[in-house]
Amino acid sequence: MTTQLSLEGVTGTAGGTGARPGAKRILVGTASWTDRSLLDSGWYPDDVSTPAARLAYYASRFPIVEVDATYYHPPAQRTVEAWRDRTPRDFTFNIKAFSLLTNHPTRPESLYKDLRDRLGTPKRTVYLRDVGTEIAEEVWQRFLSALRPLHEAGKLGVVLFQFPPWFPIGQANRRYILECARRCGPMRVCVEFRNHSWMAEENRAETLDFLASHDIPYVCVDMPQGHPSSIPPILAATSDLAVVRMHGHSDKWTSKKIEERFAYLYSEAELRRWAVRIRELAGRASTTHVLLNNCCGDNSQRNAERLAVLLGGPEAERPPG
């Protein structure tokens, strides 16, 4: 089964740019296919035990995946070519931008070796401002160059720029968002915020209008509330592509352990409510990407499969098994 859905005959507006008639596609998938807790969960059959087999199996069940590993280490082009070659023609990859490019602290050992050598003996972690203009330019060029095989094959959805809690609303940060979009072109970017100021009630319209005026998809999130990084679950389409990322509601959101931070399984009632909201959002965009990021065991896979069925209605093909 693939969980690519069509909502025929739905029209609407995205970001106030006018009606977009025709079929509406909703792609449902997860934010990982290789993390250790998933491999230990039993979701993959026993005979699916190699990287190539796992990606092929995943792609037989979902039409989209988000690659989170690229946040920690920029990918080698040969790795990207393998992703391209191991998936169906219409499969979609969303790629998370390398941490250095989103102003997150980055371990020097995750940089390209020759660039790391040029830095000498740097700090335990570095930021983009620490590496100098020449190295920064090299990181941008190499990161984007590695993604070209996916882009040229029509398999690259968007490059996800998830900005940190210390990236508040402001003119300089809006300029940086536009710089990221410009550098990535013609590849598309989408933007996820982790600083509440962008979507505070008094700034919400300004933020969404800014993204819409530059045709940049806003990443709608479901996440724990009450933290400095919390963004409210506002669904908005600021482009012809809408993106939803569902992180769950773990009560250990601030844990350093990934398995604790994302240890959440959405209930049937929650998924039904989200299906209604996502269908409404999909009416205002041509394509909608829904990524489950509650990556603990096979939670995200189980929730994504069920959500796809709910979005497709009673006639949707159900996942095997």
Side-chain angles (χ1 to χ4, degrees), residues 200-211:
E201 189 171 355
E202 65 272 17
N203 296 330
R204 192 172 301 161
E206 176 187 348
T207 295
L208 297 177
D209 286 347
F210 161 71
L211 294 174

Side-chain angles (χ1 to χ4, degrees), residues 33-44 46 54 259 296-298:
W33 80 91
T34 59
D35 65 271
R36 174 49 56 186
S37 67
L38 174 61
L39 301 184
D40 292 341
S41 72
W43 187 75
Y44 286 107
D46 290 342
R54 288 174 186 137
E259 294 80 6
C296 177
D298 62 353

